[in-house]
Amino acid sequence: MNETTEYMNEKEFKSIFMGKLFNKIDKMIGEKNLPMENAILEMKSAGRCKALKRILLCGFEKISLGERIEKMIVEENLKKKEEKNEKFLVDLCECYISLRTGFPPELLLICVPCLLKAASDKEETEEIHKDVEMALFALCCIEENQIFEQKQYLKEMLKIIKIQQEHHNLMRLTYQSAWMRLINKFFWDKSVEDMIVNELHFPREAEREQEESKKVMIIRRWLSTIKFFISLCQLRNEEFVELIGEIVQVFRVAKDNYREIHSKCIYSLREAAAVKAVEIEDLLNGGAFDAVLEEFQRQTLNDDIAHDSLIFLMNVSNRLKEEDDDEKEEVKRKATKRKPLEKMEEEGYEDRITSLYGEISFINERYNNNFSLNISEYFVNI
């Protein structure tokens, strides 16, 4: 089933599972023609596919199988401790959360603690390790605004990431999902930011994961996490230059064959150019300026890439226009300005950017932007 779902698009997935397979599974369970453990495997496979491909699967709770699973979760949870099958309850919660969109609070109050406990199991056996993977993956499927905010949740997620950093025993997909969930937390709670940046070293971890991963899907998901992190981050960290360098490397490799990844990279760079946590020197030393200017040298320039590249240049320019009362910082700023300007003069980028007058007009019209038609605005202050 895992192999089959890998190649399904959203329309095929909904047609097969919502229209046929889920009803058939429910009927076979009711008639005792399908062992519950086999049904659970089928549902977990479908839930994994839904999460990986970000399929919006509305209405699972309204079909007979969804109603059956919800009822079984409540019944199993109500059993006395000596009668309760914890493993079975975890399996039911994983199926329910990975397949449903939107969760009633009363079910989350059962499922989240149950899955947290399973995801925090430190026993070093292959079977337990697989259980940890699936429980953590299910937890990361819950929308952020539906997680009831409790310190225990954050505490356990931090433990899981620290264990992975020590032992590297999580799948890359699960590890990325855990990071995305944690970064979502500091969108609502800024106190988590210092922990993510300076204690858990997200920039360093993200750079390493991008470098080591060979699967397009994983790289794409890490780039989404990085983009979100950069747009929120306010804390300076010296590891940013390595992270920028890795984004640039992926940007160059993806430019001919992987448009979505290529686009995610330039978007991350434009966001990095706007936030003070990333210094202009980080962009220069990480190769971001070179990568963006190389795009302007291509004979055919993708509209989306051109749009985000211009935003990158304007963000850098605006950053360097800022006045600083500190004389030492102003001297440093002037020295920084000279580096990209000299590069542009040496390699002829100024002429290429000057030739973009018509393209800027088109981009303004298409994206409803107001990029300056005064070409010197893009480099005179750099």
Side-chain angles (χ1 to χ4, degrees):
M1 179 57 70
N2 280 329
E3 294 178 4
T4 303
T5 54
E6 280 290 322
Y7 301 99
M8 288 183 188
N9 58 35
E10 183 169 350
K11 185 177 180 180
E12 290 169 337
F13 181 93
K14 289 181 176 179
S15 172
I16 291 173
F17 284 95
M18 290 298 288
K20 301 174 184 177
L21 192 53
F22 285 158
N23 288 337
K24 185 177 180 180
I25 289 173
D26 184 65
K27 183 179 179 181
M28 292 177 73
I29 293 173
E31 295 175 350
K32 302 188 183 304
N33 292 325
L34 179 67
M36 196 62 205
E37 57 267 27
N38 291 357
I40 284 172
L41 288 175
E42 294 281 1
M43 286 185 280
K44 283 186 179 182
S45 178
R48 184 176 183 275
C49 178
K50 168 185 171 286
L52 288 179
K53 301 193 176 185
R54 299 176 183 178
I55 295 172
L56 185 61
L57 192 66
C58 298
F60 176 74
E61 70 280 4
K62 295 178 182 178
I63 65 173
S64 56
L65 182 60
E67 292 174 348
R68 180 187 293 274
I69 298 301
E70 187 169 316
K71 183 180 178 182
M72 292 174 74
I73 289 172
V74 174
E75 289 176 349
E76 190 66 33
N77 185 62
L78 288 174
K79 290 180 179 179
K80 295 179 180 179
K81 185 175 181 180
E82 58 272 15
E83 298 175 350
K84 188 181 298 184
N85 185 334
E86 295 284 355
K87 176 65 170 62
F88 182 55
L89 181 58
V90 169
D91 285 337
L92 292 172
C93 290
E94 288 170 355
C95 294
Y96 181 74
I97 285 180
S98 62
L99 287 171
R100 181 167 174 168
T101 301
F103 309 95
E106 60 272 18
L107 264 295
L108 286 181
L109 285 168
I110 298 173
C111 292
V112 171
C114 178
L115 292 173
L116 269 177
K117 182 178 179 181
S120 303
D121 197 325
K122 299 179 179 62
E123 188 176 334
E124 290 294 328
T125 67
E126 186 175 349
E127 183 178 356
I128 293 297
H129 183 61
K130 288 180 180 178
D131 292 340
V132 168
E133 290 272 359
M134 192 61 204
L136 182 57
F137 189 73
L139 279 169
C140 294
C141 292
I142 303 173
E143 295 93 333
E144 179 62 25
N145 62 354
Q146 294 209 337
I147 289 284
F148 49 94
E149 297 293 329
Q150 89 284 60
K151 292 183 179 179
Q152 185 63 24
Y153 178 86
L154 175 61
K155 182 179 177 181
E156 293 300 330
M157 292 298 288
L158 290 171
K159 281 183 181 179
I160 290 165
I161 286 180
K162 286 181 178 180
I163 291 170
Q164 165 66 5
Q165 289 179 333
E166 292 175 7
H167 302 287
H168 301 286
N169 57 0
L170 287 177
M171 290 189 302
R172 295 188 187 282
L173 176 63
T174 309
Y175 190 42
Q176 177 273 330
S177 299
W179 267 114
M180 190 63 183
R181 177 57 61 219
L182 194 60
I183 291 171
N184 272 331
K185 296 291 288 183
F186 93 65
F187 181 80
W188 305 102
D189 181 0
K190 291 296 183 182
S191 66
V192 182
E193 184 175 0
D194 180 65
M195 197 177 303
I196 289 174
V197 175
N198 296 318
E199 183 179 341
L200 298 178
H201 300 280
F202 174 77
R204 183 185 65 196
E205 289 291 294
E207 183 270 331
R208 179 181 59 79
E209 289 291 322
Q210 283 284 94
E211 183 180 14
E212 294 179 1
S213 181
K214 306 300 180 185
K215 291 188 176 182
V216 171
M217 178 185 67
I218 303 298
I219 293 173
R220 185 169 61 238
R221 289 174 68 98
W222 268 105
L223 282 170
S224 294
T225 306
I226 291 168
K227 179 179 70 174
F228 188 53
F229 167 78
I230 288 176
S231 67
L232 294 174
C233 189
Q234 297 179 9
L235 292 178
R236 166 77 187 134
N237 187 282
E238 60 184 14
E239 295 165 1
F240 275 120
V241 65
E242 284 78 19
L243 179 58
I244 295 297
E246 185 58 33
I247 295 172
V248 167
Q249 184 174 337
V250 175
F251 180 70
R252 287 178 169 141
V253 171
K255 66 181 179 182
D256 293 322
N257 298 314
Y258 301 100
R259 180 173 177 175
E260 183 185 357
I261 289 178
H262 191 55
S263 180
K264 283 181 181 292
C265 287
I266 187 60
Y267 191 94
S268 295
L269 294 177
R270 86 173 221 194
E271 290 297 296
V275 298
K276 291 185 178 180
V278 181
E279 294 188 354
I280 301 299
E281 288 281 352
D282 295 336
L283 299 172
L284 284 165
N285 296 334
F289 208 90
D290 284 332
V292 169
L293 292 176
E294 284 168 12
E295 284 299 308
F296 290 119
Q297 294 288 70
R298 300 183 73 178
Q299 291 185 346
T300 56
L301 189 60
N302 176 276
D303 293 338
D304 294 335
I305 301 297
H307 171 259
D308 286 343
S309 296
L310 287 170
I311 292 179
F312 172 89
L313 291 175
M314 289 304 296
N315 285 343
V316 172
S317 181
N318 291 336
R319 291 270 302 278
L320 292 174
K321 286 178 184 177
E322 296 171 357
E323 296 182 2
D324 200 312
D325 295 332
D326 190 321
E327 291 185 8
K328 290 183 179 179
E329 285 299 316
E330 187 57 32
V331 170
K332 181 181 176 182
R333 187 187 302 278
K334 289 180 179 179
T336 301
K337 289 179 183 180
R338 285 196 295 271
K339 293 177 183 178
L341 180 59
E342 290 169 358
K343 184 181 293 292
M344 293 170 75
E345 291 174 346
E346 289 172 5
E347 302 183 23
Y349 288 119
E350 184 173 338
D351 291 339
R352 177 60 180 129
I353 293 177
T354 302
S355 72
L356 291 175
Y357 187 93
E359 292 181 52
I360 292 173
S361 297
F362 171 76
I363 288 171
N364 278 340
E365 183 176 347
R366 174 172 178 176
Y367 296 92
N368 195 27
N369 276 342
N370 58 347
F371 289 123
S372 174
L373 294 176
N374 179 5
I375 303 299
S376 64
E377 286 286 332
Y378 297 95
F379 51 81
V380 69
N381 290 298
I382 296 176

